[in-house]
Amino acid sequence: PSPLPVSFRVVEHVREMASAGLHSNVRLLSGLLLTMSGNNPELFSPSQKYQLLVYHADSLFHDKEYRNAVSKYTMALQQKKALSKTSKVRPSTGNAASTPQMWFSPFSYLTLVPLCSLQINMMLANLYKKAGQERSSVTSYKEVLRQCPLALDAILGLLSLSVKGAEVASMTMNVIQSIPNLDWLSVWIKAYAFVHTGDNTRAINTICSLEKKSLLRDNVDLLGSLADLYFRAGDNKNSILKFEQAQMLDPYLIKGMDVYGYLLAREGRLEDVENLGCRLFNISDQHAEPWVVSGCHSFYSKRYSRALYLGAKAIQLNSNSVQALLLKGAALRNMGRVQEAIIHFREAIRLAPCRLDCYEGLIECYLASNSIREAMVMANNVYKTLGANAQTLTLLATVCLEDPVTQEKAKTLLDKALTQRPDYIKAVVKKAELLSREQKYEDGIALLRNALANQSDCVLHRILGDFLVAVNEYQEAMDQYSIALSLDPNDQKSLEGMQKMEKEESPTDATQEEDVDDMEGSGEEGDLEGSDSEAAQWADQEQWFGMQ
């Protein structure tokens, strides 16, 4: 039996949403369908693939991703050339109204009024959500889904508002049962339900199972979601790996590149960050991501005023950019403007209540202003809300370390975190800090060697160097500082450790090492290159990274 009737009905769902102006929904569904088509060319006829490419290109054009849209329109034209001369498909002028329609539509009973109401409901749902009116937002998303059961962005909207995955899935059950090859959709909904409840492990496992299915293999959206989930789970290595895979599949990829740039910057790969920023500005300067990536380059080069300016520019382009808010908040904090930073981290938490790094930023602000009680309340809330995992245990321990009364509690929490994840770098760093205070250097060396057995990390090598100096193992300490600097040539503390050793004439003085600092480095040594006077200069000059 031919698959055409089946695929025809799916394409009609896309056409209906395109006619109604549901661009974000069209983009998600057409992207998944094109992946399926790539993995099984028999699934759609050439004319249907042509239509899907045009719909997808139109949605990219609407999102101002013009370079990507051009690439998809070009693919559509190539597909059109492959069609026979007898094909009834007419050339598209690029807008949704004139997108090719090959057959009588079973959705033609939908007059212009309900099509407009669909778009209005989607817009209302998004506006209500932004205004915090959750009940009204849920009602509007449900109305969209009632008329368009394959409106995937409306599904994501409902899941983000804590509507149960089972309830959302029930609204799509009829369409899943009536159209074969859509059995993945219920698993897709389940995966994103886990994403929005903050259950990163189950979300990763579910998306991996989807991604391994032949029809959805190498889907850029799924790979991007996986990369983001690994990042949220603190698995930076796998996150970078998935971002790289997604980038190879889609050279015009913008979404998620701000997180990717941040991860590269944290690893000290500033040249890669600079190249990524240039590449993204060439794709589009109308999105927040390129500005955030450039801001990360500035921040990790200790040019905080420039990072602040670039973060503000990103927020101007997209007020929902969590990464831009975190960048601006971190820059403000490092410039000593803690109260302003707190406002940005709170907004980031409102937008992404399941992202631990938003809470980490806020807690660092409280600690910087000696508000230990507020930090403790927040850390306890995160622990209760997101559950007892290695990350939340470590965050709570970080606050406990600031109060002499709760040192023992910090130790217990860190031991629990390291039992769950022996390689979790932040937990290792904090445990090392505790052991350094207690002058248990041999225990610290054992802990760090164990953590470095399966991974290489600049901060861990540097701290190991500090501990080795404390036990007079100077040659190996020098080796560890060298490894740390090879991983991150900008790591100031490794450089200082090495220079101290070279200057030391009396080995006994070498034991007077400073306590181990935190993983990020406080960044409060002073901004040599990026003073406040530079802010005005950067407001006037937007040439950096090809800004126009």
Side-chain angles (χ1 to χ4, degrees):
S2 167
L4 287 180
V6 171
S7 52
F8 163 59
R9 288 159 69 190
V10 180
V11 173
E12 279 302 296
H13 278 278
V14 179
R15 189 201 65 77
E16 179 201 0
M17 291 191 292
S19 303
L22 302 183
H23 305 289
S24 60
N25 295 279
V26 169
R27 180 173 178 167
L28 274 170
L29 183 56
S30 60
L32 287 159
L33 295 175
L34 284 167
T35 300
M36 290 168 69
S37 172
N39 287 319
N40 181 1
E42 300 297 312
L43 210 58
F44 296 98
S45 69
S47 53
Q48 289 167 332
K49 190 172 178 188
Y50 166 68
Q51 290 179 83
L52 284 173
L53 282 163
V54 173
Y55 291 133
H56 193 65
D58 286 347
S59 67
L60 291 168
F61 187 87
H62 181 267
D63 283 346
K64 298 181 181 176
E65 292 190 27
Y66 302 123
R67 293 280 294 274
N68 204 352
V70 166
S71 127
K72 296 300 183 292
Y73 283 131
T74 305
M75 286 168 74
L77 287 171
Q78 287 168 349
Q79 184 68 28
K80 188 174 181 295
K81 283 177 189 173
L83 295 173
S84 64
K85 289 178 182 178
T86 55
S87 171
K88 296 177 185 177
V89 178
R90 294 174 186 173
S92 166
T93 56
N95 60 46
S98 63
T99 305
Q101 295 176 31
M102 292 177 58
W103 306 278
F104 169 76
S105 167
F107 296 103
S108 56
Y109 66 87
L110 284 164
T111 63
L112 193 61
V113 176
L115 286 178
C116 288
S117 75
L118 267 173
Q119 189 177 23
I120 290 166
N121 271 315
M122 192 69 197
M123 290 167 75
L124 276 174
N126 290 333
L127 287 169
Y128 282 136
K129 183 183 169 185
K130 197 168 184 180
Q133 298 179 35
E134 294 192 3
R135 190 177 294 179
S136 300
S137 183
V138 166
T139 304
S140 298
Y141 279 132
K142 282 185 174 176
E143 187 53 35
V144 172
L145 209 54
R146 190 181 64 76
Q147 292 183 62
C148 288
L150 292 179
L152 301 189
D153 202 34
I155 288 173
L156 292 179
L158 287 171
L159 294 173
S160 73
L161 293 166
S162 304
V163 178
K164 293 276 186 288
E167 185 186 341
V168 177
S170 70
M171 299 178 75
T172 64
M173 203 50 70
N174 286 342
V175 76
I176 291 172
Q177 288 173 348
S178 64
I179 304 176
N181 291 318
L182 276 189
D183 53 330
W184 53 265
L185 183 57
S186 53
V187 185
W188 187 91
I189 293 169
K190 186 180 167 187
Y192 286 96
F194 288 139
V195 170
H196 289 290
T197 54
D199 193 339
N200 296 325
T201 307
R202 286 162 87 182
I204 287 168
N205 292 339
T206 312
I207 291 181
C208 279
S209 75
L210 257 184
E211 218 268 325
K212 279 172 190 159
K213 284 191 175 179
S214 57
L215 285 180
L216 290 178
R217 191 177 61 250
D218 290 341
N219 177 263
V220 173
D221 287 327
L222 289 179
L223 284 168
S225 294
L226 263 183
D228 194 54
L229 284 163
Y230 280 125
F231 165 64
R232 293 185 190 196
D235 185 349
N236 295 346
K237 189 179 171 186
N238 269 317
S239 180
I240 288 172
L241 203 67
K242 292 297 170 189
F243 276 130
E244 284 170 354
Q245 272 181 262
Q247 236 187 162
M248 282 170 71
L249 287 166
D250 183 0
Y252 298 106
L253 182 64
I254 294 175
K255 188 182 176 185
M257 290 294 102
D258 47 356
V259 174
Y260 178 52
Y262 164 70
L263 287 172
L264 293 178
R266 268 186 60 163
E267 290 203 344
R269 293 166 58 181
L270 293 185
E271 196 179 330
D272 290 341
V273 178
E274 191 170 351
N275 292 337
L276 178 66
C278 286
R279 194 174 66 74
L280 290 173
F281 272 118
N282 283 333
I283 295 168
S284 167
D285 61 357
Q286 295 301 302
H287 291 78
E289 287 85 347
W291 301 87
V292 173
V293 170
S294 305
C296 286
H297 183 278
S298 296
F299 184 85
Y300 282 90
S301 305
K302 298 191 176 179
R303 296 174 178 178
Y304 303 125
S305 297
R306 189 188 295 176
L308 176 65
Y309 165 69
L310 292 163
K313 181 76 180 174
I315 293 167
Q316 200 181 340
L317 288 165
N318 179 6
S319 59
N320 291 332
S321 171
V322 174
Q323 215 58 38
L325 288 162
L326 294 178
L327 170 67
K328 195 178 170 195
L332 287 164
R333 183 188 66 225
N334 282 16
M335 291 167 74
R337 293 158 64 177
V338 178
Q339 293 310 310
E340 290 172 75
I342 284 171
I343 293 164
H344 287 77
F345 287 119
R346 281 182 178 155
E347 176 62 8
I349 289 168
R350 189 186 73 78
L351 290 169
C354 290
R355 273 186 62 170
L356 195 81
D357 53 340
C358 301
Y359 299 99
E360 285 174 338
L362 182 57
I363 285 169
E364 280 173 33
C365 285
Y366 286 144
L367 295 177
S369 55
N370 289 318
S371 307
I372 294 174
R373 196 176 66 83
E374 285 92 335
M376 192 68 83
V377 169
M378 176 61 72
N380 271 308
N381 284 344
V382 175
Y383 179 75
K384 286 170 188 166
T385 311
L386 299 183
N389 56 51
Q391 291 166 285
T392 55
L393 287 160
T394 305
L395 186 60
L396 188 51
T398 303
V399 181
C400 290
L401 280 171
E402 297 297 316
D403 189 342
V405 181
T406 50
Q407 296 292 297
E408 278 305 310
K409 187 182 177 185
K411 189 179 179 190
T412 307
L413 291 165
L414 289 170
D415 287 342
K416 278 186 186 172
L418 288 166
T419 303
Q420 283 191 26
R421 277 179 65 181
D423 62 341
Y424 183 48
I425 292 172
K426 288 188 181 181
V428 175
V429 169
K430 287 296 164 188
K431 182 72 189 285
E433 185 180 326
L434 192 60
L435 292 170
S436 175
R437 287 182 191 182
E438 296 171 347
Q439 296 190 345
K440 293 180 178 175
Y441 300 118
E442 295 292 353
D443 291 352
I445 289 167
L447 170 79
L448 291 158
R449 287 198 202 282
N450 189 46
L452 285 165
N454 298 311
Q455 61 186 336
S456 197
D457 178 81
C458 167
V459 178
L460 296 186
H461 282 292
R462 183 230 299 154
I463 298 171
L464 181 53
D466 294 343
F467 275 59
L468 288 163
V469 168
V471 297
N472 303 331
E473 295 283 350
Y474 302 115
Q475 186 52 54
E476 199 189 340
M478 189 67 92
D479 293 343
Q480 293 299 327
Y481 290 137
S482 298
I483 296 168
L485 284 166
S486 72
L487 292 167
D488 182 0
N490 301 296
D491 188 51
Q492 198 62 36
K493 288 178 182 166
S494 294
L495 203 60
E496 285 167 11
M498 194 175 261
Q499 285 167 350
K500 261 186 192 176
M501 284 186 65
E502 287 167 353
K503 284 177 188 172
E504 292 287 355
E505 286 188 16
S506 168
T508 52
D509 293 336
T511 57
Q512 306 301 315
E513 280 297 310
E514 292 176 15
D515 282 347
V516 178
D517 246 314
D518 67 351
M519 181 178 177
E520 294 287 339
S522 66
E524 290 168 3
E525 296 93 338
D527 178 13
L528 302 175
E529 298 179 77
S531 60
D532 277 333
S533 63
E534 199 181 38
Q537 173 196 342
W538 282 99
D540 294 333
Q541 297 179 8
E542 294 196 5
Q543 285 87 20
W544 197 63
F545 270 128
M547 302 171 199
Q548 297 300 322

